[in-house]
Amino acid sequence: MMIDFVPDESLYPFESRWFDASAGRLHYIDEGSGPALLFCHGSPTWSFLYRRIVTGLRDRYRCIAVDHLGFGLSERPRGFGYTIAEHTAVLGELIDHLQLDGFVVVGHDWGGPIGLGAASTRAARVRGIVLGNTAFWPIEPLANRAFSVIMSSRPMRRRIVEQNLLVEQFLLGRLGPALTEAEADHYRMVQPTREARCGLTVMPDEIRAARPLLERLARDVPALLGDKPTLAVWGMKDMVFRPRVCIPRLHASFTDLDVVELPRARHFLQEDAPDEITSAIAKRFP
């Protein structure tokens, strides 16, 4: 199925583009010209998350932001498993289709391992890396694994599909970013029905199920991408990817790492501190 929501041009002032990947029809934007930045979102967001950053950088960079299958305006194809491995393969197809070379991969949440997974097999074509509140290694804290077990249970999966739980409670809830009602609707309306939310139900289980992939990335990323110029922009109030755990791991993985701490930002840092992120990227990759 396809999503028929039309974004408000005043909030999402971009031209929609489409790529027929082997698994389904992928929506993305491709704005500006110059060095390429490839923006990869996580769950339960879409390329709308990066709207202010793309607007701030497209006068100097080619900004490509993708909607993974099952998210945003992309297709919900039958027979697609919506696993991190499958999203990674589809993103790799888009990179090859666009013939990206010398690009910077930007990843947040699940967009980190998806983007790094596609980049690590194309390391010679990668200029640099930007990571924000993500992890490309197995998620070890007990609380995170407990979240995976609970959210993968039948009652919670039902709430995800019937009540749009991940969007309404985790993104738009009390601890989420401050959004206008119109902005909040742009996250709601791309997950409008039970059928549209099939990809959302997979993400919590992937915290455990994707462990073999994350173990491989934990080895491959330092080996294949560890010498690339890297920027970490971190929401220091994130309760999911805690800075005291993640930032030392990044220092151990990358030899050329700059860290920008965003003291007031939570998990969805692109909503909390877009100007700071825009400035950090422009400074790191002039």
Side-chain angles (χ1 to χ4, degrees):
M1 65 173 292
M2 297 298 296
I3 302 300
D4 59 8
F5 174 67
V6 178
D8 184 336
E9 290 185 1
S10 67
L11 294 176
Y12 190 77
F14 313 122
E15 177 185 353
S16 287
R17 300 176 186 269
W18 304 92
F19 169 58
D20 290 320
S22 60
R25 197 163 193 237
L26 201 70
H27 173 263
Y28 69 100
I29 58 173
D30 191 341
E31 299 282 318
S33 60
L37 306 173
L38 176 63
F39 295 92
C40 304
H41 69 83
S43 177
T45 61
W46 60 295
S47 56
F48 185 75
L49 179 73
Y50 289 109
R51 65 195 180 282
R52 294 191 183 97
I53 298 168
V54 171
T55 301
L57 291 174
R58 63 180 172 179
D59 62 334
R60 291 160 284 176
Y61 300 87
R62 180 185 178 187
C63 298
I64 302 157
V66 63
D67 294 349
H68 306 306
L69 293 176
F71 294 83
L73 302 180
S74 288
E75 187 179 1
R76 276 67 170 165
R78 292 176 180 170
F80 189 70
Y82 301 98
T83 66
I84 302 307
E86 289 168 293
H87 288 308
T88 300
V90 171
L91 180 65
E93 291 181 26
L94 179 65
I95 292 171
D96 294 342
H97 169 73
L98 296 176
Q99 299 181 339
L100 297 184
D101 197 6
F103 68 95
V104 175
V105 61
V106 184
H108 169 253
D109 191 82
W110 280 119
I114 292 170
L116 290 172
S120 64
T121 56
R122 298 163 177 83
R125 294 157 56 185
V126 175
R127 177 190 177 192
I129 298 163
V130 179
L131 299 175
N133 296 68
T134 185
F136 56 86
W137 51 83
I139 308 301
E140 300 294 354
L142 182 60
N144 293 35
R145 287 186 280 124
F147 172 85
S148 176
V149 172
I150 293 169
M151 296 302 294
S152 301
S153 66
R154 184 175 298 178
M156 297 308 290
R157 288 171 67 94
R158 187 179 304 118
R159 291 186 64 187
I160 290 171
V161 298
E162 293 181 356
Q163 301 174 24
N164 205 10
L165 178 69
L166 294 182
V167 171
E168 294 293 344
Q169 295 299 320
F170 293 95
L171 173 56
L172 304 180
R174 181 173 58 87
L175 296 179
L179 300 172
T180 66
E181 193 63 23
E183 290 171 328
D185 282 343
H186 276 65
Y187 287 113
R188 293 187 177 106
M189 296 304 292
V190 294
Q191 300 289 357
T193 65
R194 295 179 56 174
E195 293 75 19
R197 299 167 194 154
C198 52
L200 289 178
T201 65
V202 177
M203 293 295 100
D205 188 54
E206 283 293 278
I207 294 173
R208 293 169 297 143
R211 186 180 183 93
L213 179 147
L214 295 171
E215 288 176 340
R216 184 171 68 252
L217 285 179
R219 298 189 301 268
D220 288 351
V221 168
L224 301 172
L225 299 170
D227 61 347
K228 303 289 183 180
T230 302
L231 170 67
V233 283
W234 221 262
M236 301 300 284
K237 290 188 175 181
D238 189 359
M239 301 300 290
V240 181
F241 297 101
R242 297 176 183 269
R244 64 181 177 81
V245 174
C246 295
I247 292 176
R249 187 71 181 258
L250 295 176
H251 276 293
S253 300
F254 299 101
T255 60
D256 186 7
L257 174 69
D258 285 354
V259 177
V260 173
E261 297 181 358
L262 305 172
R264 291 179 297 277
R266 298 181 186 271
H267 180 65
F268 299 101
L269 64 157
Q270 299 87 348
E271 296 287 4
D272 292 333
D275 294 341
E276 293 91 331
I277 297 169
T278 299
S279 297
I281 292 174
K283 181 180 179 181
R284 186 69 169 108
F285 299 101

